Structures are given as structure tokens and as C-alpha cells.
Amino acid sequence: MSIKSTKIFNSKQGMLIEGNSLELLESDENLSDLKGKVNLIITSPPFPLNQKKKYGNEKGEEYKNWFTKLAPIFSELLADDGSLVIEIGNAWEPERPVQSLLHLECLLGMVKHPDANLRLIQEFICYNPSKLPSPAQWVTVNRLRTVDSYTHVWWIAKNDFPKADNSKVLRPYSKSMEQLLKRQSYNSGKRPSEHQISEGGFLKDNGGSIAHNFFEMEALDEKRDVRLPHSVLSFSNTNSNDYFLKTCREKGITPHPARMSGGLVNFFIQFLTDEGDLVLDPFSGSNTTGYCAEKLNRKWVSFEIKEDYIEQACIRFSDPILKSPLKKMKA
């Protein structure tokens, strides 16, 4: 595939393309093969922050206009039963202790775009107590607000029934549920909520309980087990022991400051796709998405505009566990 890009890197399952994803997807004829073929677009685009970051981000009305323009591009790429998953943080009004509505306006702009037949399937919340206190001016300096410790994850699709199977992402049963299954009895009947609990409705072992739309990056309560799907949140951005961060330290490289959680990516890849399906990330950073897709035997295409982060993606893929390094294609 010949693409208007300075560099292309291949692995066994996928391709990392250097360049502006939106410009390439709109203008490069060779990428037209992707249209209608992508089973999952999963990404964490630059957040609408008030301060410019190294990884690039627009602000205010410019951000909303930029974000809304993604809708028809993504809609055209998705297969009819494909899904779009976007992680985005909260925004605050400049120099005011007031939360902005910008992220909500962006969501509405995307799902109501006249040239994109999209709708919000479900919202997830990703809670991370290790996030630094922000917005710092109003949390740690003036102490007027609490720590902004979560991000939104929006699951969007072209129709009401995108491919999905929650039995692939079951979480472990609670200890009380394990005991119930062992004794094969419980108090059935009508509850104060007026729900009628059948005699055998909870006696079948399904291998785990259905996942929630709230993810704890770390335990809210240290005395309570965090019951996450087995494939989910196996590592967090604060985990200093994984291969990627260890190698970055050894090479004196500062890792991408806004990496998407690998566990979060694992969850949605397994929940919304099958092996051999195509996963795309238009703003891949150090390419956590491609790494997770490779491990889970999915095809993938990622884009990244900054050479520094592509170097980090190559480090990520040099993980000996993966056995699928990124290799630069010959011109």
C-alpha cells in the first residue's frame, strides 16, 4: 500500500502510519479500502484542555469544530455493525472554577451531525484515583474544587445493534455469589422494589457476572476486591514495572503523558470485535491500541503525527512477549 506518508511501520497484524490521520483518510485514495471495513475505532483524542500540550490539542470553539468534523469520517470508515469508542476528559472554563460543557457539546455535535448516522449506545466512566489533582488552580492552590479523577468513555455506533457480546468480558463473581452457587439456594420472591426474583434465576454458573460501565483503575475501597473482567485493566498508566515504561526509562525517554489504558482497550476489543476483525486508532500516540489488537489477534491500523511517539510505539512492539516488532516498510 502506497500512502502519502513519510513512514509506515508493519507488524504481523497491523500498520502504523506517520501523518495526519484526518488528512490522509480524506485524501489518500489507497486508504479508501478501509471505508466500511473497520469493526472498531477506538481512540483517546487530544483532550480540550486550556493549556497547550506537547501532543497537540485545540481549545474552546476550535476544539468543538475539529471534533465534530470527525463524525462523517468515522461513520464512513465503520462497518455497518462496527463501533466507535472515544475516551475524553472533562474541560474547565479558562481562569474560572467552572466546569465547561465543551465535551458534552462535542458529543452532541458528533451524534447529531447531519452527514453521519451515529448514536450514543452507552457511556462508561473510567475512574483513576492516581490522576494528579486538577484543575490545580482550583484544587491545590485555592482549594475550591475536588480532584477531577475520571474520564468519559463513549460507545457510539451507526445503528442500534452493533456487534457486541458481554459474555466475552465477564468479571469474577463476588464471594457471596460464589457461595450462593455452591449451596444452590437463596431467598426468592418479591422484593421491596417490587421485582419478582425467581427460584432458580441466579443458580446457573455463567462463568462470571456481567461487567459494569464503571471502571476502577484502582480500588475505591481497599477492603473490597475489584472485580474486573480478566482481560481488563491489567496495567494502568502508573504501573512502572511493565516493559514499555522500563525501556523508556533505560533510554531516557519521557513516555507519552496521556496514554490510553491498555486494559480499557482490551475490554472494548474483546467486547466489540472477533479475532481477525479490523481495529483503527486515528490518534494512537505510543500505539497502545495497536499493541492490544496485536496481542488479541485483530488486524489494526494506527496513525500518529509525531515522530517521537512513533519511536515509543516501536519500543512498545519490541516487547519480547509480543514477538511482532514494528518494521519500517521500504520505500
Side-chain angles (χ1 to χ4, degrees):
M1 181 181 287
S2 176
I3 301 171
K4 298 171 185 175
S5 168
T6 55
K7 296 177 184 175
I8 300 173
F9 299 82
N10 283 105
S11 68
K12 292 178 182 178
Q13 294 285 349
M15 174 186 297
L16 173 59
I17 302 168
E18 181 181 307
N20 185 307
S21 58
L22 304 188
E23 291 179 0
L24 290 170
L25 288 167
E26 285 185 306
S27 63
D28 199 300
E29 293 181 0
N30 291 293
L31 289 172
S32 63
D33 292 343
L34 295 174
K35 294 179 180 178
K37 303 287 182 60
V38 179
N39 304 100
L40 172 63
I41 300 172
I42 181 166
T43 193
S44 181
F47 290 179
L49 305 173
N50 291 325
Q51 300 293 327
K52 272 284 185 181
K53 298 293 185 178
K54 181 181 177 183
Y55 53 83
N57 58 286
E58 301 292 346
K59 298 187 291 183
E61 195 69 21
E62 291 178 353
Y63 185 91
K64 185 173 73 171
N65 293 336
W66 172 81
F67 191 95
T68 303
K69 288 178 181 177
L70 301 175
I73 298 173
F74 289 169
S75 180
E76 194 171 28
L77 288 168
L78 285 176
D80 289 340
D81 63 350
S83 291
L84 165 63
V85 173
I86 297 176
E87 181 191 23
I88 192 167
N90 292 306
W92 292 76
E93 294 290 347
E95 301 180 3
R96 298 175 62 198
V98 176
Q99 190 165 320
S100 170
L101 300 178
L102 181 58
H103 63 293
L104 299 177
E105 293 172 356
C106 288
L107 174 62
L108 291 173
M110 176 164 282
V111 298
K112 291 183 175 293
H113 197 292
D115 298 324
N117 184 28
L118 298 173
R119 73 288 322 270
L120 178 64
I121 301 299
Q122 191 171 15
E123 181 175 23
F124 294 73
I125 295 298
C126 186
Y127 167 70
N128 183 0
S130 293
K131 285 185 68 175
L132 293 174
S134 66
Q137 179 65 41
W138 311 120
V139 176
T140 59
V141 178
N142 295 98
R143 295 187 176 271
L144 300 175
R145 299 293 179 264
T146 58
V147 177
D148 189 4
S149 60
Y150 71 92
T151 57
H152 307 264
V153 182
W154 298 325
W155 174 19
I156 296 167
K158 292 166 71 171
N159 68 65
D160 295 0
F161 297 95
K163 180 193 294 187
D165 184 351
N166 66 28
S167 68
K168 294 180 180 178
V169 286
L170 297 175
R171 60 185 190 143
Y173 283 129
S174 65
K175 289 182 173 61
S176 60
M177 185 63 185
E178 289 175 346
Q179 292 170 358
L180 183 153
L181 290 171
K182 187 175 182 179
R183 69 173 182 266
Q184 284 291 292
S185 66
Y186 61 91
N187 295 324
S188 58
K190 196 170 185 178
R191 296 292 190 266
S193 63
E194 298 188 3
H195 286 91
Q196 185 70 34
I197 307 300
S198 65
E199 293 183 4
F202 291 96
L203 298 181
K204 181 181 178 181
D205 188 344
N206 293 301
S209 61
I210 297 171
H212 290 186
N213 67 337
F214 178 86
F215 298 116
E216 292 178 62
M217 299 292 283
E218 296 176 15
L220 278 167
D221 181 356
E222 294 180 356
K223 297 179 181 179
R224 175 179 56 80
D225 291 335
V226 178
R227 295 187 297 116
L228 296 165
H230 294 293
S231 63
V232 180
L233 307 180
S234 56
F235 58 90
S236 71
N237 286 346
T238 57
N239 184 348
S240 60
N241 298 315
D242 71 289
Y243 175 87
F244 171 70
L245 292 181
K246 179 182 177 181
T247 307
C248 283
R249 283 198 301 269
E250 291 173 351
K251 292 179 176 290
I253 295 172
T254 301
H256 192 294
R259 301 181 306 282
M260 198 171 186
S261 163
L264 199 66
V265 177
N266 284 343
F267 175 86
F268 285 104
I269 288 178
Q270 293 198 308
F271 179 28
L272 304 176
T273 70
D274 299 316
E275 288 194 8
D277 279 355
L278 178 60
V279 179
L280 183 143
D281 188 343
F283 315 107
S284 66
S286 60
N287 201 22
T288 302
T289 295
Y291 178 83
C292 292
E294 190 87 22
K295 286 199 303 180
L296 295 172
N297 198 30
R298 271 68 167 175
K299 299 174 185 176
W300 61 270
V301 176
S302 292
F303 295 83
E304 177 51 45
I305 198 168
K306 291 189 176 294
E307 189 173 355
D308 290 353
Y309 297 147
I310 290 177
E311 180 184 357
Q312 293 183 26
C314 291
I315 291 173
R316 192 182 291 284
F317 271 73
S318 68
D319 187 340
I321 295 176
L322 198 62
K323 297 180 181 178
S324 183
L326 284 174
K327 298 179 180 179
K328 184 181 177 183
M329 287 181 63
K330 294 181 180 179

